[in-house]
Structure formats: C-alpha cells, structure tokens
Amino acid sequence: MYKERTFSQKVNLFLKGLAMGGANKVPGVSGGMVAFVMGFYEELIFTFRRINLKAFKLLFNGRFRSFAKYTNFQFLVWVMLGSTFSYFSISLILDYFLKNYELYVWSWFFGMIIGSIYYISKDFGDWRLKNMLWLLIGAVIGVAISFMSPAKENDNLFFVFICGIIGVSGMTLPGLSGSFILILLGNYVLLLVDSVNVLGGVVASMFSGDFSPLNDPVKIRYLKIIATFTLGSAFGLVSISHVLGYVFKKYKQQVTAIIIGFITGSLGIIWPWKETIFKSENGSFLLDSKGNKIIENYQRYLPNIQDKETLISIGFILLGILLILAIDYYGNRRKN
C-alpha cells in the first residue's frame, strides 16, 4: 500500500490527522469514525499492522528506506503529525466552544454523525438478513455503552495499562469513543487531564533546568501512570489493528454492517440535549487538578421545540449533515 505522495497529498493527510485528533479528544466522538468517513481507515489499519517484528529488524539493521516502505511511514508521519498538532490547537478550540456553546457543538457533531451513517451505508448495497442482524448487534452494543454508569477512579498500573488498550480503541474502531470509554472506566480525568498536566509541567521544568519534580513522589506517581497508559495505548494500537486487519479482510461486509449499527447506536452518546452530572462527595463537587468539576455522566432529555435555543441547535444538526453531504459531493466530483 506504500506510495510516494505529492505535497498536496501530504497536506491532505495532515488535515485528516487534525480532524481525527480533534475527534479523539471529545468524549463521544471517535477518531476511527473520522478515518472511516474520510476514506483512509483501511490504510490506517494496514499501516499500524506493519509495526511488527519485521519492521524492527529492518530498523535495527539500518535499512531505513526499506523500513519506511514496509511500514508506510510517510502516511503514518503526516497523519500522526496532524493528530498531535490537533491536541495543541484544534482540540483547544473545541474545548473553548464546548465550554461556552456546548449545546450547539454537540448538535453539530450529532448532525455530522447522522450524515456519516448515510455516507458509509449508501454504497454498502448488500442488505441481506444476515447483514441486517450484524447491523442490529452493532446498534444494540452502541446503545448499551451509551447508557452505562461510570466506575470509580482506579490508579492500579495494571488497570491503567488496560485503560490504554481500551482508550486507544477510538482511533481504531469507528463509533467507539476512547474518551467516553475512559469516562465509563472512571479514569478519564486521571489519564487525560491530571497525568497529562503533570507531564507537561515536569517537561517544562526540566527544559528550564529544574529537575526537582523528579524527587516529588506525587509527580513520579503521575509519570508512572502516564508511562503505563502510553505503553498500553501503543500495545493496543498495534494488537487491535492486527485483529481488525484480519477481520476486515475476511469478513468485510459483516464488519461494515456492525460499524454502521454501532455508529447509529452511539448517537445516544452524542445526543445534544443532556445535562452534565458531576461527581460529588459529602455534598461537595469533586475537582480535578485544574479546579474543574469532574464529569460523572450525562442526563438526557427531550427539548422544547418552541425554544429559540432548540431551533438554533436543529440548525446546527442540519449544518453537520450538510457538511458530510458536501464532502461526499466533493469526493464524487474528484472521482469523476
């Protein structure tokens, strides 16, 4: 699958990485779904599968050109650069809008996912009873996950490693939000907020010549947690990709049907009209290291159709649908 890419193709991959990285940051939205809709999901899985023993042998033997071709390195670099850059740019913008215009952002996402379901299913074609059953199974799993209750925070390193494997699933499984799964496991704040903040602070201190944080047992604990989580994520990324690559090759129609059903079922997670339930103890809200209230779950409700805010939200849903339809139209024009 390796191929040389032009500069415009590299920029296109970088922008796709931006979109995927932004999606991975938001609880309820899947980076894997973005990859699926934008048409580079199978190449992404293929590339992750090439990170194996043969690749490391090529690398350690100094055969860098062969390593780059075998691992589709050019593709991986540009997508991961976009995804990483997104964490420090697009995701910060998303954080701002989620904080100040939460209902409209969720409405926009909701519309994009509805459009994505159409985008993925319109060319599927083979809606036999067997595939309809796979779609139903995917939808039931998606709905079940969206209504699960979160567990309590757990900093056991083995559990953190498992969280890394599960959390990275948002990059590899369309419709499954790694961030939302971490909320359900009770470790979203520990792994994606507190530990990341401590790591950033330690790195900044070390660059300024201050190594005292390395003697702080609390900071060392967080560094162990983020290192274990990263190892789990790397292991999960490669191992899940190998399984998915095999399954996609052998059972592509069934897997696609499950993915369509799963994304449909996950609409419950993205439902715009919901109240945030925060964790509390003895009548007081629990706060993370930045002083923000910790999210426990969401209470969904039906909106009042006569409210101006509801009508604006519906407008954003339509905007999200139209955006996906526009991408589909543009893609068809390029093919023709």
Side-chain angles (χ1 to χ4, degrees):
M1 196 171 279
Y2 176 82
K3 58 182 177 182
E4 288 293 333
R5 286 176 160 89
T6 63
F7 178 74
S8 62
Q9 288 173 329
K10 291 174 183 176
V11 171
N12 190 31
L13 285 176
F14 179 81
L15 294 175
K16 287 176 178 178
L18 277 180
M20 191 173 75
N24 280 325
K25 180 81 183 293
V26 181
V29 186
S30 162
M33 189 192 70
V34 171
F36 200 92
V37 171
M38 289 189 163
F40 67 102
Y41 180 73
E42 287 192 51
E43 185 172 5
L44 186 72
I45 296 300
F46 167 84
T47 304
F48 286 144
R49 287 183 68 200
R50 286 303 181 97
I51 302 172
N52 53 31
L53 187 60
K54 182 178 178 180
F56 285 115
K57 282 181 179 178
L58 291 172
L59 184 63
F60 293 140
N61 289 330
R63 297 174 61 187
F64 302 118
R65 188 180 293 274
S66 297
F67 170 80
K69 285 186 176 182
Y70 179 76
T71 58
N72 199 21
F73 193 66
Q74 194 178 87
F75 167 86
L76 187 63
V77 165
W78 286 101
V79 170
M80 289 297 106
L81 273 176
S83 189
T84 305
F85 183 77
S86 173
Y87 191 84
F88 300 100
S89 56
I90 302 296
S91 59
L92 295 178
I93 297 170
L94 272 176
D95 287 345
Y96 169 80
F97 281 103
L98 278 169
K99 187 175 181 180
N100 295 282
Y101 306 99
E102 184 177 13
L103 177 59
Y104 302 147
V105 173
W106 285 118
S107 299
W108 185 52
F109 282 139
F110 191 77
M112 284 198 297
I113 291 177
I114 291 174
S116 299
I117 294 168
Y118 161 77
Y119 182 91
I120 297 168
S121 60
K122 69 183 177 67
D123 295 325
F124 183 69
D126 189 6
W127 289 114
R128 289 177 292 176
L129 178 61
K130 182 174 69 173
N131 290 335
M132 290 291 287
L133 287 173
W134 285 116
L135 182 141
L136 182 62
I137 289 169
V140 168
I141 295 171
V143 170
I145 288 175
S146 67
F147 287 97
M148 284 175 65
S149 297
K152 291 183 178 179
E153 185 174 289
N154 185 344
D155 65 355
N156 178 276
L157 293 182
F158 178 74
F159 183 71
V160 168
F161 185 82
I162 299 299
C163 286
I165 295 173
I166 297 172
V168 81
S169 59
M171 283 185 69
T172 50
L173 294 169
L176 184 62
S177 166
S179 297
F180 186 76
I181 294 297
L182 288 179
I183 287 178
L184 294 179
L185 293 172
N187 272 4
Y188 177 80
V189 173
L190 175 68
L191 299 174
L192 295 188
V193 180
D194 291 345
S195 296
V196 172
N197 289 339
V198 169
L199 176 63
V202 170
V203 171
S205 297
M206 290 176 68
F207 269 112
S208 64
D210 179 13
F211 292 89
S212 60
L214 296 179
N215 297 319
D216 186 333
V218 175
K219 287 186 171 59
I220 291 297
R221 168 181 168 265
Y222 278 113
L223 291 177
K224 286 180 180 177
I225 287 170
I226 194 68
T228 305
F229 178 68
T230 303
L231 284 173
S233 298
F235 178 79
L237 201 60
V238 176
S239 57
I240 293 173
S241 298
H242 276 79
V243 173
L244 282 175
Y246 171 79
V247 172
F248 243 103
K249 188 175 181 179
K250 204 155 190 180
Y251 308 102
K252 186 171 182 178
Q253 286 189 323
Q254 294 92 322
V255 173
T256 304
I258 289 175
I259 287 172
I260 294 170
F262 195 87
I263 293 173
T264 304
S266 72
L267 282 171
I269 301 173
I270 319 292
W271 180 252
W273 295 278
K274 53 180 175 278
E275 290 181 5
T276 305
I277 300 171
F278 298 101
K279 285 188 177 182
S280 61
E281 201 172 85
N282 300 324
S284 300
F285 290 115
L286 298 178
L287 306 177
D288 61 29
S289 61
K290 282 189 170 182
N292 299 316
K293 289 184 281 190
I294 299 173
I295 296 173
E296 181 173 351
N297 211 331
Y298 299 98
Q299 180 69 47
R300 298 161 184 84
Y301 62 89
L302 292 174
N304 182 352
I305 199 68
Q306 295 179 336
D307 283 353
K308 180 183 176 183
E309 193 178 53
T310 301
L311 295 175
I312 295 172
S313 300
I314 292 171
F316 273 99
I317 291 174
L318 294 174
L319 182 64
I321 295 171
L322 288 172
L323 178 62
I324 299 299
L325 293 179
I327 291 171
D328 179 38
Y329 175 77
Y330 175 70
N332 289 333
R333 283 284 300 272
R334 285 193 66 182
K335 285 179 185 176
N336 295 331

